[in-house]
Coordinates of all heavy atoms in Angstrom, one line a residue:
M1 N -17.8 17.6 -12.0 CA -17.8 16.5 -11.0 C -16.4 16.6 -10.3 O -15.4 16.6 -10.9 CB -18.0 15.2 -11.5 CG -18.2 14.1 -10.5 SD -18.7 12.5 -11.3 CE -17.1 11.9 -11.9
A2 N -16.4 16.7 -9.0 CA -15.1 16.8 -8.3 C -14.4 15.5 -8.2 O -15.1 14.4 -8.0 CB -15.4 17.3 -6.9
F3 N -13.1 15.5 -8.3 CA -12.4 14.2 -8.2 C -12.2 13.9 -6.7 O -11.8 14.7 -6.0 CB -11.0 14.4 -8.9 CG -10.1 13.1 -8.7 CD1 -10.5 12.0 -9.3 CD2 -9.1 13.3 -7.9 CE1 -9.7 10.8 -9.1 CE2 -8.2 12.1 -7.7 CZ -8.5 10.9 -8.3
Q4 N -12.6 12.7 -6.3 CA -12.4 12.3 -5.0 C -11.4 11.2 -4.8 O -11.4 10.2 -5.6 CB -13.8 11.9 -4.4 CG -14.7 13.0 -4.2 CD -16.0 12.6 -3.5 OE1 -16.4 11.4 -3.6 NE2 -16.6 13.5 -2.9
L5 N -10.6 11.3 -3.8 CA -9.7 10.2 -3.5 C -10.5 9.0 -3.0 O -11.4 9.2 -2.1 CB -8.7 10.6 -2.4 CG -7.6 11.6 -2.9 CD1 -6.8 12.0 -1.6 CD2 -6.7 11.0 -3.9
P6 N -10.2 7.8 -3.5 CA -10.9 6.7 -2.8 C -10.5 6.6 -1.4 O -9.4 7.0 -1.0 CB -10.4 5.5 -3.6 CG -9.3 6.0 -4.4 CD -9.2 7.5 -4.5
V7 N -11.3 6.0 -0.6 CA -11.0 5.8 0.8 C -10.0 4.6 0.9 O -10.3 3.5 0.4 CB -12.3 5.4 1.6 CG1 -12.0 5.1 3.1 CG2 -13.3 6.6 1.6
L8 N -8.9 5.0 1.5 CA -7.9 3.9 1.7 C -7.9 3.4 3.1 O -7.9 4.2 4.1 CB -6.5 4.4 1.3 CG -6.4 4.9 -0.1 CD1 -4.9 5.5 -0.3 CD2 -6.5 3.7 -1.0
V9 N -7.8 2.2 3.4 CA -7.8 1.6 4.7 C -6.4 1.5 5.2 O -5.5 1.1 4.4 CB -8.5 0.2 4.7 CG1 -8.4 -0.4 6.1 CG2 -9.9 0.2 4.2
K10 N -6.1 1.9 6.4 CA -4.8 2.0 6.9 C -4.4 0.7 7.6 O -4.4 0.7 8.8 CB -4.5 3.2 7.8 CG -4.8 4.5 7.1 CD -4.6 5.7 8.0 CE -5.1 6.9 7.2 NZ -5.1 8.2 8.2
L11 N -4.1 -0.3 6.9 CA -3.8 -1.6 7.5 C -2.5 -2.2 6.9 O -2.2 -1.9 5.7 CB -4.9 -2.6 7.3 CG -6.2 -2.4 8.0 CD1 -7.3 -3.4 7.5 CD2 -6.0 -2.4 9.5
P12 N -1.7 -2.9 7.7 CA -0.6 -3.6 7.1 C -1.0 -4.7 6.2 O -2.1 -5.1 6.2 CB 0.1 -4.2 8.3 CG -0.7 -3.9 9.5 CD -2.0 -3.2 9.1
V13 N -0.1 -5.1 5.3 CA -0.5 -6.0 4.2 C 0.4 -7.3 4.4 O 1.6 -7.2 4.6 CB -0.3 -5.4 2.8 CG1 -0.5 -6.5 1.7 CG2 -1.2 -4.2 2.6
L14 N -0.2 -8.4 4.3 CA 0.5 -9.7 4.4 C 0.4 -10.4 3.0 O -0.7 -10.6 2.5 CB -0.1 -10.6 5.4 CG -0.1 -10.1 6.9 CD1 -1.0 -10.8 7.8 CD2 1.3 -10.2 7.4
L15 N 1.5 -10.6 2.4 CA 1.5 -11.2 1.0 C 2.5 -12.3 0.9 O 3.5 -12.4 1.6 CB 1.9 -10.1 0.0 CG 0.9 -9.0 -0.3 CD1 1.5 -8.0 -1.2 CD2 -0.4 -9.5 -0.9
W16 N 2.3 -13.1 -0.2 CA 3.3 -14.1 -0.6 C 4.1 -13.4 -1.6 O 3.6 -12.5 -2.4 CB 2.7 -15.3 -1.2 CG 2.2 -16.3 -0.2 CD1 3.1 -17.2 0.4 CD2 0.9 -16.5 0.3 NE1 2.3 -18.0 1.3 CE2 1.0 -17.6 1.3 CE3 -0.3 -15.9 0.1 CZ2 -0.1 -18.0 2.0 CZ3 -1.4 -16.3 0.8 CH2 -1.3 -17.4 1.7
V17 N 5.4 -13.7 -1.7 CA 6.3 -13.2 -2.7 C 5.9 -13.9 -4.0 O 6.1 -15.1 -4.2 CB 7.7 -13.4 -2.4 CG1 8.7 -12.9 -3.5 CG2 8.1 -12.8 -1.1
S18 N 5.4 -13.1 -5.0 CA 5.2 -13.6 -6.3 C 4.8 -12.4 -7.2 O 4.2 -11.5 -6.8 CB 4.0 -14.6 -6.3 OG 2.8 -14.0 -6.3
G19 N 5.3 -12.5 -8.4 CA 5.1 -11.4 -9.4 C 5.5 -10.0 -8.8 O 6.6 -9.9 -8.3
G20 N 4.6 -9.1 -8.8 CA 4.9 -7.8 -8.4 C 4.7 -7.4 -6.9 O 4.7 -6.3 -6.5
T21 N 4.3 -8.5 -6.1 CA 3.9 -8.2 -4.7 C 5.0 -7.5 -3.9 O 4.8 -6.8 -3.0 CB 3.4 -9.4 -4.0 OG1 4.4 -10.4 -4.0 CG2 2.1 -10.0 -4.7
A22 N 6.3 -7.9 -4.2 CA 7.4 -7.3 -3.5 C 7.5 -5.8 -3.7 O 8.2 -5.1 -2.9 CB 8.7 -8.0 -3.9
K23 N 6.9 -5.3 -4.8 CA 7.0 -3.8 -5.0 C 5.9 -3.1 -4.2 O 6.0 -2.0 -4.0 CB 6.8 -3.6 -6.5 CG 8.0 -3.9 -7.3 CD 7.7 -3.5 -8.8 CE 8.8 -4.1 -9.7 NZ 8.4 -4.5 -11.0
I24 N 4.9 -3.8 -3.8 CA 3.7 -3.2 -3.1 C 4.1 -3.1 -1.6 O 3.8 -2.0 -1.0 CB 2.5 -4.1 -3.3 CG1 2.1 -4.2 -4.8 CG2 1.3 -3.5 -2.5 CD1 1.0 -5.2 -5.1
V25 N 4.6 -4.2 -1.1 CA 4.9 -4.1 0.4 C 6.3 -3.9 0.6 O 7.2 -4.6 0.0 CB 4.4 -5.4 1.0 CG1 4.9 -5.6 2.4 CG2 2.9 -5.5 0.9
V26 N 6.7 -3.1 1.6 CA 8.0 -3.0 2.1 C 8.1 -3.9 3.3 O 7.6 -3.6 4.3 CB 8.4 -1.5 2.5 CG1 9.9 -1.4 3.0 CG2 8.2 -0.5 1.3
N27 N 8.8 -5.1 3.1 CA 8.8 -6.1 4.0 C 9.3 -5.6 5.4 O 10.4 -5.0 5.5 CB 9.7 -7.2 3.6 CG 9.6 -8.5 4.4 OD1 8.6 -8.7 5.0 ND2 10.7 -9.2 4.5
G28 N 8.5 -5.8 6.4 CA 8.8 -5.4 7.7 C 8.5 -3.9 8.1 O 8.5 -3.5 9.2
S29 N 8.1 -3.2 7.0 CA 7.8 -1.8 7.3 C 6.3 -1.4 7.0 O 5.7 -0.8 7.9 CB 8.7 -0.8 6.3 OG 8.3 0.5 6.4
T30 N 5.8 -1.8 5.9 CA 4.4 -1.6 5.6 C 3.6 -2.9 5.7 O 2.4 -2.9 5.4 CB 4.2 -0.9 4.2 OG1 4.6 -1.8 3.2 CG2 5.0 0.3 4.2
G31 N 4.2 -4.0 5.9 CA 3.6 -5.3 5.9 C 4.7 -6.4 5.9 O 5.8 -6.1 6.3
F32 N 4.2 -7.6 5.6 CA 5.2 -8.7 5.7 C 5.1 -9.5 4.4 O 4.0 -9.8 3.9 CB 5.0 -9.6 6.9 CG 5.4 -9.0 8.2 CD1 4.4 -8.6 9.1 CD2 6.7 -8.7 8.5 CE1 4.7 -8.1 10.2 CE2 7.0 -8.2 9.7 CZ 6.1 -7.8 10.6
L33 N 6.2 -9.8 3.8 CA 6.3 -10.7 2.7 C 6.7 -12.2 3.2 O 7.5 -12.3 4.0 CB 7.3 -10.3 1.7 CG 7.0 -9.0 0.9 CD1 8.2 -8.4 0.2 CD2 5.8 -9.2 -0.1
H34 N 6.1 -13.2 2.5 CA 6.3 -14.5 2.9 C 6.6 -15.4 1.6 O 6.2 -15.1 0.6 CB 5.1 -15.1 3.5 CG 4.6 -14.2 4.7 ND1 3.7 -13.2 4.5 CD2 4.9 -14.3 6.0 CE1 3.4 -12.6 5.6 NE2 4.2 -13.2 6.5
P35 N 7.5 -16.3 1.8 CA 7.8 -17.2 0.6 C 6.6 -17.9 0.2 O 5.7 -18.2 0.9 CB 8.8 -18.3 1.2 CG 9.2 -17.7 2.6 CD 8.2 -16.8 3.0
A36 N 6.5 -18.1 -1.1 CA 5.3 -18.7 -1.7 C 5.4 -20.2 -1.3 O 6.4 -20.8 -1.0 CB 5.3 -18.6 -3.2
G37 N 4.2 -20.8 -1.3 CA 4.1 -22.3 -1.0 C 4.1 -22.6 0.5 O 4.0 -21.7 1.3
K38 N 4.4 -23.9 0.7 CA 4.3 -24.4 2.1 C 5.2 -23.7 3.1 O 4.8 -23.4 4.2 CB 4.7 -25.9 2.1 CG 3.5 -26.8 2.0 CD 3.9 -28.3 2.2 CE 2.8 -29.2 2.0 NZ 3.3 -30.6 2.0
E39 N 6.4 -23.4 2.7 CA 7.3 -22.7 3.6 C 6.9 -21.3 4.1 O 7.3 -20.9 5.1 CB 8.8 -22.6 3.0 CG 8.8 -21.8 1.7 CD 10.2 -21.7 1.1 OE1 11.1 -21.4 1.9 OE2 10.4 -21.8 -0.1
G40 N 5.9 -20.7 3.3 CA 5.5 -19.5 3.8 C 4.3 -19.5 4.8 O 4.0 -18.5 5.4
V41 N 3.7 -20.6 4.9 CA 2.5 -20.8 5.8 C 2.8 -20.5 7.2 O 2.1 -19.7 7.9 CB 1.9 -22.2 5.6 CG1 0.8 -22.4 6.7 CG2 1.4 -22.3 4.2
S42 N 3.8 -21.0 7.8 CA 4.2 -20.9 9.2 C 4.6 -19.4 9.5 O 4.0 -18.8 10.4 CB 5.3 -21.9 9.6 OG 5.8 -21.5 10.9
P43 N 5.5 -18.7 8.7 CA 5.8 -17.3 9.0 C 4.6 -16.4 8.8 O 4.3 -15.5 9.6 CB 6.9 -16.9 8.0 CG 7.1 -18.1 7.1 CD 6.4 -19.3 7.7
L44 N 3.7 -16.8 7.9 CA 2.5 -16.0 7.7 C 1.6 -16.1 8.9 O 1.1 -15.1 9.4 CB 1.7 -16.5 6.4 CG 0.3 -15.9 6.2 CD1 0.4 -14.4 5.9 CD2 -0.5 -16.6 5.0
A45 N 1.4 -17.3 9.4 CA 0.6 -17.5 10.6 C 1.2 -16.7 11.8 O 0.4 -16.0 12.5 CB 0.5 -18.9 10.9
K46 N 2.5 -16.8 12.0 CA 3.2 -16.0 13.0 C 3.0 -14.5 12.9 O 2.7 -13.8 13.9 CB 4.7 -16.3 13.0 CG 5.0 -17.6 13.7 CD 6.5 -17.9 13.8 CE 6.7 -19.3 14.2 NZ 7.9 -19.9 13.6
N47 N 3.0 -14.0 11.7 CA 2.9 -12.5 11.5 C 1.4 -12.1 11.7 O 1.2 -11.0 12.1 CB 3.4 -12.1 10.1 CG 4.9 -12.1 10.0 OD1 5.5 -11.8 11.0 ND2 5.5 -12.4 8.9
M48 N 0.5 -13.0 11.4 CA -0.9 -12.7 11.6 C -1.2 -12.5 13.1 O -1.8 -11.6 13.5 CB -1.8 -13.8 11.0 CG -2.0 -13.8 9.5 SD -2.8 -15.3 9.0 CE -4.3 -14.5 8.5
V49 N -0.6 -13.4 13.9 CA -0.7 -13.3 15.3 C 0.0 -12.2 15.8 O -0.5 -11.4 16.7 CB -0.1 -14.7 16.0 CG1 -0.1 -14.5 17.5 CG2 -1.0 -15.9 15.6
K50 N 1.2 -11.9 15.3 CA 2.0 -10.7 15.7 C 1.2 -9.4 15.6 O 1.0 -8.6 16.4 CB 3.3 -10.7 14.9 CG 4.3 -9.6 15.5 CD 5.5 -9.4 14.5 CE 6.4 -10.6 14.5 NZ 7.5 -10.4 13.4
L51 N 0.6 -9.3 14.4 CA -0.2 -8.0 14.0 C -1.5 -8.0 14.9 O -1.9 -6.9 15.2 CB -0.4 -7.9 12.6 CG 0.8 -7.6 11.8 CD1 0.5 -7.6 10.3 CD2 1.4 -6.3 12.1
A52 N -2.1 -9.2 15.1 CA -3.3 -9.2 15.8 C -3.1 -8.8 17.3 O -4.0 -8.2 18.0 CB -4.0 -10.6 15.7
T53 N -1.9 -9.1 17.8 CA -1.7 -8.9 19.2 C -0.9 -7.7 19.5 O -0.7 -7.3 20.7 CB -1.0 -10.2 19.9 OG1 0.2 -10.4 19.1 CG2 -1.9 -11.4 19.8
H54 N -0.3 -7.0 18.5 CA 0.5 -5.8 18.7 C -0.2 -4.7 18.1 O 0.1 -4.3 16.9 CB 1.9 -6.0 18.1 CG 2.7 -7.0 19.0 ND1 2.6 -8.4 18.9 CD2 3.7 -6.8 19.9 CE1 3.4 -9.0 19.7 NE2 4.1 -8.0 20.3
F55 N -1.0 -4.0 18.9 CA -1.8 -2.9 18.3 C -1.0 -1.8 17.7 O -1.3 -1.3 16.6 CB -2.7 -2.4 19.5 CG -3.5 -1.1 19.2 CD1 -4.6 -1.2 18.4 CD2 -3.1 0.1 19.6 CE1 -5.3 -0.1 18.1 CE2 -3.8 1.2 19.2 CZ -4.9 1.1 18.5
E56 N 0.0 -1.3 18.5 CA 0.9 -0.2 18.0 C 1.5 -0.5 16.7 O 1.6 0.3 15.9 CB 1.9 0.1 19.1 CG 1.4 1.0 20.2 CD 0.9 2.4 19.8 OE1 1.5 2.9 18.9 OE2 -0.1 2.9 20.4
R57 N 2.1 -1.7 16.6 CA 2.8 -2.1 15.4 C 1.9 -2.2 14.2 O 2.2 -1.7 13.1 CB 3.4 -3.6 15.7 CG 4.2 -4.1 14.6 CD 5.6 -4.3 15.0 NE 6.5 -4.4 13.8 CZ 7.3 -5.4 13.5 NH1 7.3 -6.4 14.4 NH2 8.0 -5.4 12.5
R58 N 0.7 -2.7 14.5 CA -0.3 -2.8 13.4 C -0.6 -1.3 12.9 O -0.7 -1.1 11.7 CB -1.6 -3.5 13.9 CG -2.6 -3.8 12.9 CD -3.7 -4.7 13.4 NE -4.5 -4.1 14.4 CZ -4.8 -4.5 15.6 NH1 -4.1 -5.6 16.0 NH2 -5.6 -3.9 16.4
L59 N -0.8 -0.5 13.9 CA -1.2 0.9 13.6 C -0.1 1.6 12.8 O -0.3 2.3 11.8 CB -1.4 1.7 14.9 CG -2.5 2.7 14.9 CD1 -3.9 2.1 14.7 CD2 -2.5 3.5 16.2
T60 N 1.1 1.5 13.3 CA 2.2 2.1 12.6 C 2.5 1.6 11.2 O 2.7 2.4 10.3 CB 3.6 1.9 13.5 OG1 3.3 2.3 14.8 CG2 4.7 2.7 12.9
M61 N 2.5 0.3 11.0 CA 2.7 -0.3 9.7 C 1.6 0.1 8.8 O 1.8 0.4 7.6 CB 2.7 -1.8 9.8 CG 4.1 -2.3 10.4 SD 4.0 -4.1 10.5 CE 5.1 -4.4 9.1
G62 N 0.4 0.1 9.2 CA -0.8 0.6 8.4 C -0.6 2.0 8.0 O -0.9 2.3 6.8
K63 N -0.2 2.9 8.9 CA 0.0 4.3 8.5 C 1.1 4.5 7.5 O 1.0 5.2 6.6 CB 0.3 5.1 9.7 CG -0.9 5.7 10.5 CD -0.5 6.5 11.6 CE -1.5 6.7 12.7 NZ -1.1 7.1 14.0
R64 N 2.1 3.8 7.7 CA 3.3 3.8 6.7 C 2.8 3.4 5.3 O 3.2 4.0 4.3 CB 4.5 2.9 7.2 CG 5.4 3.6 8.2 CD 6.7 2.8 8.3 NE 7.2 2.8 9.6 CZ 7.3 1.7 10.3 NH1 7.2 0.5 9.8 NH2 7.8 1.8 11.5
G65 N 2.1 2.3 5.3 CA 1.6 1.8 4.0 C 0.7 2.8 3.3 O 0.8 3.0 2.1
Y66 N -0.2 3.4 4.1 CA -1.1 4.4 3.6 C -0.3 5.6 3.0 O -0.6 6.0 1.9 CB -2.0 4.9 4.7 CG -2.9 6.0 4.4 CD1 -4.1 5.8 3.8 CD2 -2.5 7.3 4.6 CE1 -4.9 6.9 3.4 CE2 -3.3 8.4 4.3 CZ -4.6 8.1 3.7 OH -5.3 9.2 3.3
E67 N 0.6 6.1 3.8 CA 1.5 7.2 3.3 C 2.2 6.8 2.0 O 2.3 7.7 1.1 CB 2.4 7.7 4.4 CG 1.8 8.3 5.6 CD 0.9 9.5 5.2 OE1 1.1 10.2 4.2 OE2 -0.2 9.7 5.9
R68 N 2.7 5.7 2.0 CA 3.5 5.2 0.8 C 2.6 5.1 -0.4 O 3.0 5.6 -1.5 CB 4.1 3.8 1.1 CG 5.0 3.4 0.0 CD 5.9 2.2 0.5 NE 6.8 1.8 -0.5 CZ 6.4 0.9 -1.5 NH1 5.3 0.3 -1.4 NH2 7.3 0.5 -2.4
V69 N 1.5 4.6 -0.3 CA 0.5 4.4 -1.4 C 0.1 5.8 -1.9 O 0.0 6.1 -3.1 CB -0.7 3.5 -1.1 CG1 -1.8 3.7 -2.0 CG2 -0.3 2.1 -0.9
K70 N -0.3 6.6 -0.9 CA -0.7 8.0 -1.3 C 0.4 8.7 -2.0 O 0.1 9.3 -3.1 CB -1.0 8.8 0.0 CG -2.1 9.8 -0.2 CD -2.6 10.3 1.2 CE -1.6 11.4 1.5 NZ -2.0 12.2 2.7
R71 N 1.6 8.6 -1.5 CA 2.7 9.3 -2.2 C 3.1 8.8 -3.5 O 3.2 9.5 -4.5 CB 3.9 9.2 -1.2 CG 4.9 10.3 -1.3 CD 6.0 10.2 -0.2 NE 6.6 8.8 -0.1 CZ 6.5 8.0 1.0 NH1 5.9 8.5 2.0 NH2 7.1 6.9 1.0
R72 N 3.1 7.5 -3.6 CA 3.6 6.8 -4.9 C 2.6 6.7 -5.9 O 2.9 6.8 -7.1 CB 4.2 5.5 -4.5 CG 5.5 5.5 -3.8 CD 6.0 4.2 -3.6 NE 6.2 3.4 -4.8 CZ 7.2 2.8 -5.2 NH1 8.3 2.8 -4.4 NH2 7.3 2.2 -6.3
F73 N 1.4 6.4 -5.6 CA 0.4 6.1 -6.6 C -0.6 7.2 -6.7 O -1.0 7.4 -7.8 CB -0.3 4.7 -6.2 CG 0.8 3.6 -6.1 CD1 1.1 3.1 -4.8 CD2 1.4 3.1 -7.2 CE1 2.0 2.1 -4.8 CE2 2.3 2.2 -7.1 CZ 2.7 1.6 -5.9
M74 N -1.2 7.7 -5.6 CA -2.3 8.6 -5.8 C -1.8 10.0 -6.4 O -2.4 10.5 -7.2 CB -2.9 8.9 -4.5 CG -3.5 7.7 -3.7 SD -4.5 6.7 -4.8 CE -5.9 7.7 -5.1
E75 N -0.7 10.5 -5.9 CA -0.3 11.8 -6.5 C 0.1 11.7 -7.9 O -0.1 12.6 -8.7 CB 0.9 12.4 -5.6 CG 0.2 12.9 -4.3 CD 1.3 13.3 -3.2 OE1 2.4 13.3 -3.5 OE2 0.8 13.4 -2.0
H76 N 0.8 10.6 -8.2 CA 1.1 10.3 -9.6 C -0.1 10.3 -10.5 O -0.2 10.8 -11.5 CB 1.9 9.0 -9.7 CG 2.3 8.6 -11.0 ND1 3.2 9.2 -11.8 CD2 1.8 7.6 -11.8 CE1 3.3 8.7 -13.0 NE2 2.5 7.7 -13.1
H77 N -1.1 9.5 -9.9 CA -2.4 9.4 -10.7 C -3.0 10.8 -10.9 O -3.5 11.1 -12.0 CB -3.3 8.5 -9.9 CG -4.7 8.3 -10.4 ND1 -4.9 7.6 -11.5 CD2 -5.9 8.8 -10.0 CE1 -6.2 7.7 -11.7 NE2 -6.8 8.3 -10.8
M78 N -3.0 11.6 -9.8 CA -3.6 12.9 -9.9 C -2.9 13.8 -10.9 O -3.5 14.6 -11.7 CB -3.7 13.6 -8.6 CG -4.9 13.0 -7.8 SD -5.1 13.8 -6.2 CE -5.5 15.5 -6.7
A79 N -1.6 13.7 -10.9 CA -0.8 14.5 -11.8 C -1.1 14.2 -13.2 O -1.2 15.0 -14.1 CB 0.8 14.3 -11.5
N80 N -1.3 12.9 -13.6 CA -1.7 12.4 -14.9 C -3.0 13.0 -15.3 O -3.2 13.3 -16.5 CB -1.7 10.9 -14.9 CG -0.3 10.3 -15.1 OD1 0.7 11.0 -15.4 ND2 -0.2 9.0 -14.8
R81 N -3.9 13.0 -14.3 CA -5.3 13.5 -14.7 C -5.3 15.0 -15.0 O -5.9 15.5 -15.9 CB -6.3 13.3 -13.5 CG -6.6 11.8 -13.4 CD -7.5 11.6 -12.1 NE -8.8 12.3 -12.2 CZ -9.9 11.8 -12.6 NH1 -10.0 10.5 -12.8 NH2 -11.0 12.5 -12.6
I82 N -4.4 15.7 -14.2 CA -4.3 17.1 -14.4 C -3.7 17.4 -15.8 O -4.2 18.2 -16.6 CB -3.6 17.8 -13.2 CG1 -4.4 17.8 -12.0 CG2 -3.2 19.3 -13.6 CD1 -3.6 18.1 -10.7
A83 N -2.6 16.7 -16.1 CA -2.0 16.8 -17.4 C -2.9 16.6 -18.6 O -2.9 17.3 -19.5 CB -0.8 15.9 -17.4
K84 N -3.8 15.5 -18.4 CA -4.7 15.2 -19.4 C -5.7 16.4 -19.7 O -6.0 16.7 -20.8 CB -5.5 14.0 -19.0 CG -6.3 13.2 -20.1 CD -6.8 12.0 -19.7 CE -7.9 11.5 -20.7 NZ -9.0 10.9 -20.1
V85 N -6.2 16.9 -18.5 CA -7.2 18.0 -18.7 C -6.5 19.2 -19.3 O -7.1 19.9 -20.2 CB -7.7 18.4 -17.2 CG1 -8.5 19.7 -17.3 CG2 -8.6 17.3 -16.7
L86 N -5.3 19.5 -19.0 CA -4.5 20.6 -19.5 C -4.4 20.4 -21.0 O -4.6 21.4 -21.8 CB -3.2 20.8 -18.8 CG -3.2 21.4 -17.4 CD1 -1.8 21.4 -16.8 CD2 -3.8 22.8 -17.4
K87 N -4.0 19.3 -21.4 CA -3.9 18.9 -22.9 C -5.1 19.2 -23.6 O -5.1 19.8 -24.7 CB -3.4 17.5 -23.1 CG -1.8 17.4 -22.9 CD -1.4 15.9 -23.2 CE 0.0 15.7 -22.7 NZ 0.2 14.3 -22.3
E88 N -6.2 18.7 -23.0 CA -7.5 18.9 -23.7 C -7.9 20.4 -23.8 O -8.3 20.8 -24.9 CB -8.6 18.2 -22.9 CG -8.6 16.7 -23.0 CD -9.6 16.0 -22.1 OE1 -10.5 16.7 -21.5 OE2 -9.5 14.8 -22.0
V89 N -7.7 21.1 -22.8 CA -8.0 22.5 -22.8 C -7.1 23.3 -23.8 O -7.6 24.1 -24.5 CB -7.8 23.1 -21.4 CG1 -7.9 24.7 -21.4 CG2 -8.9 22.6 -20.4
L90 N -5.8 23.0 -23.9 CA -4.9 23.6 -24.8 C -5.2 23.3 -26.2 O -4.9 24.1 -27.1 CB -3.5 23.3 -24.4 CG -3.0 23.8 -23.1 CD1 -1.6 23.3 -22.7 CD2 -3.0 25.4 -23.1
H91 N -5.8 22.2 -26.5 CA -6.2 21.8 -27.9 C -7.4 22.5 -28.4 O -7.7 22.5 -29.5 CB -6.3 20.3 -28.0 CG -5.0 19.6 -28.1 ND1 -4.8 18.3 -27.7 CD2 -3.8 20.0 -28.7 CE1 -3.5 17.9 -27.9 NE2 -2.9 19.0 -28.6
K92 N -8.1 23.1 -27.5 CA -9.4 23.8 -27.9 C -9.1 25.3 -28.3 O -8.1 25.8 -28.0 CB -10.4 23.7 -26.7 CG -11.0 22.3 -26.7 CD -12.1 22.2 -25.5 CE -12.6 20.7 -25.4 NZ -13.2 20.5 -24.2
Ligands
NAG101 C1 10.7 -10.3 5.5 O1 11.4 -9.9 6.6 C2 11.4 -10.9 7.7 C3 12.0 -10.2 8.9 O2 11.3 -9.1 9.3 C4 12.3 -12.0 7.1 O3 12.3 -13.1 8.1 C5 11.6 -12.6 5.8 O4 12.5 -13.6 5.3 C6 11.5 -11.5 4.8 N1 10.8 -11.9 3.7 C7 11.3 -11.8 2.5 C8 10.4 -12.4 1.4 O5 12.3 -11.2 2.2

């Protein structure tokens, strides 16, 4: 069975800052981070409108996010899978 990359959607991400979310999004580059709670509501709304009305910006941020995820997570994931297969083969 061939390994297939999952289909990744190239969209910017809007998140609240909490836990590990700050590691997922590069604020202002691949999406926007907002303070948790009430104070984050207004900037979140503004950024939603910004991305909805700025086609080029939405496209660019989405592409950057896609490349980042592919580079950081997918290739690492694939390297681990290849290493696992090699270990299995070498043990036989
Ligand atoms: C994200 O960047 C914007 C400016 O682009 C800034 O106003 C906002 O405070 C930043 N958010 C965080 C959580 O750093």
